[in-house]
Each structure stands twice: as C-alpha cells, then as structure tokens.
C-alpha cells in the first residue's frame, strides 16, 4: 500500500453504534465462557455488591459493535478501510485477532445504553501482511467513558487467483 | 463466591488459583452467538481450510475471556478490573463432538497467573498480574496482563 493512502485512512471511523446492555445477553455471554460469577446473573447478590445490580463482565464489549447483521464481520471497521484493503488483496473477512488492550473506567450495568466508535489508529504492511490497530471508545447513556479498547488485527494477502472469492461478506 | 481478597493479603510472586478450560465446536458456535463474532473461521471446516488455518480455530476473544475470568474470580466481588491486555501467540483447536453433548478427547488448557507488582496509585490499592493460557504441552498460546484494584483493610 502507498504511504499516502495509509495516512489518508488513519483516523477514519465506523460512526457511532448504539447498544443496549440486556440482562439476557449478559447471561448468554457468560454461559458461553463458563463464567458463573453471581455479579453477572444473581439479582440479589449483585444488588448487595459494590455495583448495586447486575453488571456485564469486562470484555463484554464485543457486542455493541458486532451486530448480528449480514455484514457482521465488517461493521467494526471503517468502510474506507474495508475497500482499500480489499483492493490490495486483503479481504477483511480473513482478519485474525492479534490481541487487545482494555482500560476500564466504570462498570457496565444491565440496562445501560452504550455507544461505541472505532477509529483506525495505525496500519503497516510488511511481507504480504497487514497489521492494524482499531481504537474503540465506549460511552454510557450519561456520556461517561466506561472503557477504551485497542484491538490489533493481522491480515495475510491472498494469492491473486483467490481474490474476490474469499470475501463472503463483502 | 469465595471469601473476599484484600490488597493486604497479596504479595508479589503469589500465584493466582488456576483452572482448566476446554473448547468444543459446539462451544465455539455458542460463543459466536453470544459475542456476535460470526466469522466462519471458527465453525466451518471448508472455510477454515481455504483461509489457511487448516481447520477451525478457537476464538481469540474466548481465550481472552477465560483469562479475564481468572482475574475476576480471584479479585472477588469487591475488586475492579482496571486494565487488561492480551496477545495471541498460537492458534488453538477445539474438540469435535462425539454426541450432541459429549466431546471427543482433545486439548485442555490451563489458565494460570501470578502477581508481579503490588502498589498504591492515587487512592487505589492495585496489583499487576501476568496471566497465561497453557496447552497440554505446556506451551503458552495466549498471554495477558491485568491490573486489578482490590479493597484494603486500611483504606
């Protein structure tokens, strides 16, 4: 990729995604990980805790930006980034999760309405691989920052013959 | 829940109580639904082969969640996870299912951790911990660092 194109992409964002934190979604999330912590599922226990009610586990934040729509894989990336990478033979559907860094400021409570915006912070290409970092800021319905996440992604360039066939969500 | 842990109970080098996790194809489908990550790489063998991982792999975010649970179980209901970062070092593969409910034999991961630093920052009594996910061969496939705020007996 040209360095001018990379600098053009830095700072592009997904726009705001709104997500309501439902008790049932918290339960399904913790069922899926096998985390039986009563703070996430036991009304009375949670009410008597420091949080005063059911909270979501740290890491629950995949949800607000990954909607269950056709393009589920792609709503977490700015459209300009998706098309630029696709053109270079890096379909985002094949992105690997490279790791994540969370900072938490406030608990996420059942019933909270979160808004999330993800911004491309950095991108580099090396040896037919692309590495990029998305920063997501999560606010609650009071406008307070509840968490930030820096997520790293890794993409491998596909051989030319397969480009255009491996991107079911494009 | 076990008895609440206090900052004064913790010392540098102390081990965090470990637990084991397994993953099955069924559990990965469940995680896909619960997390909203529907990448077919995690449940579609043909797609996974075409993409280059050979076969479906365990979601990095599920492994991350196991290590978050290691920290939150240990810190107790009065603790607060302030920072958490993790790196995926190797791919992990789920067990296939033998019946609707019984998995075949396969990998078991050990979630382990230890306290590396204990300090006060502002008013917060904090500890930093190194956490890791080890496969059956003792290889670390995911490593993490957590900063936890604990209650103090002398706040």
């Amino acid at each position: 990729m040209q360095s001018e194109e990379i600098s053009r992409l830095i700072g592009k964002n997904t726009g705001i995604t709104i997500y309501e934190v439902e008790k049932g979604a918290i339960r399904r999330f913790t069922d899926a990980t096998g985390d039986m912590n009563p703070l996430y599922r036991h009304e009375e226990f949670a009410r008597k805790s420091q949080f005063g009610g059911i909270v979501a586990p740290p890491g629950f934040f995949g949800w607000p930006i990954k909607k269950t729509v056709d393009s589920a894989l792609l709503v977490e990336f700015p459209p300009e980034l998706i098309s630029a990478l696709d053109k270079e033979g890096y379909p985002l559907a094949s992105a690997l999760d490279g790791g994540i860094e969370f900072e938490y400021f406030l608990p996420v409570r059942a019933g909270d309405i979160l808004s999330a915006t993800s911004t491309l912070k950095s991108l580099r290409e090396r040896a037919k691989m692309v590495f990029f970092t998305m920063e997501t800021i999560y606010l609650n319905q009071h406008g307070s920052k509840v968490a930030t996440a820096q997520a790293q992604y890794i993409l491998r360039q596909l051989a030319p013959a397969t480009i255009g066939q491996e991107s079911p969500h494009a | 829940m076990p008895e609440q842990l206090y900052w004064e109970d913790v010392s540098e080098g102390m081990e965090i109580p470990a637990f084991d996790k397994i993953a099955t194809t069924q559990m990965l489908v469940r995680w896909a639904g619960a997390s909203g990550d529907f990448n077919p790489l995690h449940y579609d063998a043909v797609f996974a082969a075409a993409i280059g991982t050979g076969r479906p792999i365990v979601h990095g975010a599920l492994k991350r969640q196991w290590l978050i649970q290691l920290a939150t179980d240990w810190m107790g209901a009065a603790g607060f996870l302030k920072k958490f970062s993790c790196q995926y070092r190797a791919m992990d593969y789920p067990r296939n299912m033998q019946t609707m409910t019984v998995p075949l034999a396969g990998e078991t991961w050990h979630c382990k951790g230890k306290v590396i630093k204990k300090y006060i920052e502002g008013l917060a009594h904090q500890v930093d911990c190194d956490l890791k996910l080890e496969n059956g061969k003792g290889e670390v496939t995911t490593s993490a660092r957590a900063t936890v705020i604990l209650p103090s007996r002398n706040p």
Side-chain angles (χ1 to χ4, degrees):
Chain A
M1 285 176 95
Q2 304 285 331
S3 58
E4 300 81 46
E5 181 158 32
I6 293 174
S7 9
R8 184 181 65 82
L9 291 170
I10 302 299
K12 297 283 186 220
N13 69 64
T14 53
I16 297 173
T17 307
I18 307 285
Y19 182 72
E20 185 174 350
V21 180
E22 293 162 352
K23 236 176 269 180
I26 294 174
R27 179 174 284 263
R28 283 191 296 276
F29 187 95
T30 52
D31 280 346
T33 63
D35 188 343
M36 297 299 132
N37 194 320
L39 285 171
Y40 312 142
R41 51 178 70 233
H42 193 295
E43 294 275 3
E44 202 185 326
F45 181 93
R47 196 169 53 242
K48 290 177 184 160
S49 78
Q50 61 169 328
F51 304 115
I54 286 182
V55 290
F60 182 75
F61 299 114
W63 259 110
I65 51 168
K66 287 180 180 165
K67 288 179 175 169
T68 52
V69 292
D70 282 350
S71 57
L73 294 175
L74 303 180
V75 288
E76 62 191 291
F77 305 114
E80 298 90 344
L81 175 67
I82 297 170
S83 55
L85 287 173
D86 219 40
K87 212 169 57 193
E88 303 281 334
Y90 294 105
L92 265 168
S94 65
L96 292 177
D97 193 343
I100 196 159
E101 197 176 321
F102 283 113
E103 186 165 3
Y104 303 100
F105 304 97
L106 291 169
V108 173
R109 300 166 190 286
D112 274 0
I113 297 169
L114 299 181
S115 62
T117 308
S118 299
T119 304
L120 180 68
K121 296 304 276 189
S122 67
L123 185 151
R124 65 195 167 90
E125 186 178 25
R126 201 181 61 198
K128 298 193 173 187
M129 291 177 87
V130 159
F131 304 84
F132 67 96
T133 302
M134 296 293 301
E135 180 186 66
T136 305
I137 296 175
Y138 299 90
L139 305 177
N140 64 17
Q141 65 274 27
H142 310 296
S144 306
K145 186 159 74 174
V146 294
T148 57
Q150 314 275 339
Q152 282 107 43
Y153 295 90
I154 304 163
L155 279 169
R156 283 165 301 172
Q157 199 169 33
L158 293 182
T162 60
I163 293 172
Q165 297 168 16
E166 301 289 347
S167 191
H169 293 273
Chain B
M1 293 289 281
E3 213 171 300
Q4 179 58 49
L5 181 75
Y6 285 86
W7 186 78
E8 286 76 12
D9 305 334
V10 174
S11 57
E12 289 175 6
M14 183 177 166
E15 290 199 5
I16 293 168
F19 57 65
D20 289 349
K21 292 280 188 183
I22 68 160
T24 63
T25 49
Q26 192 178 56
M27 290 161 74
L28 297 194
V29 168
R30 195 170 193 176
W31 170 255
S35 70
D37 181 353
F38 291 100
N39 191 332
L41 176 59
H42 304 292
Y43 52 81
D44 182 328
V46 175
F47 181 88
I51 274 302
T53 59
R55 52 198 172 102
I57 58 171
V58 178
H59 297 76
L62 177 58
K63 299 191 279 182
R64 174 195 83 207
Q65 228 31 60
W66 292 341
L67 292 179
I68 287 179
Q69 186 190 339
L70 187 69
T72 52
D73 276 2
W74 177 67
M75 73 188 188
F80 186 78
L81 183 63
K82 189 182 177 201
K83 282 184 190 171
F84 183 91
S85 61
C86 78
Q87 288 80 42
Y88 307 116
R89 293 162 178 262
M91 289 188 271
D92 288 297
Y93 302 94
R95 300 183 184 198
N96 287 102
M97 299 302 291
Q98 185 170 28
T99 69
M100 285 271 284
T101 52
V102 179
L104 289 165
E107 194 70 79
T108 298
W109 293 277
H110 312 295
C111 302
K112 299 175 175 180
K114 68 176 177 192
V115 176
I116 54 165
K117 196 177 166 197
K118 176 183 173 181
Y119 55 101
I120 294 174
E121 192 174 288
L123 295 172
H125 291 72
Q126 296 188 176
V127 293
D128 292 344
C129 309
D130 272 347
L131 313 174
K132 61 184 178 181
L133 190 70
E134 259 181 30
N135 66 18
K137 293 180 200 146
E139 297 158 343
V140 176
T141 67
T142 307
S143 60
R145 169 73 54 89
T147 299
V148 167
I149 302 175
L150 290 174
S152 168
R153 293 188 200 278
N154 315 296

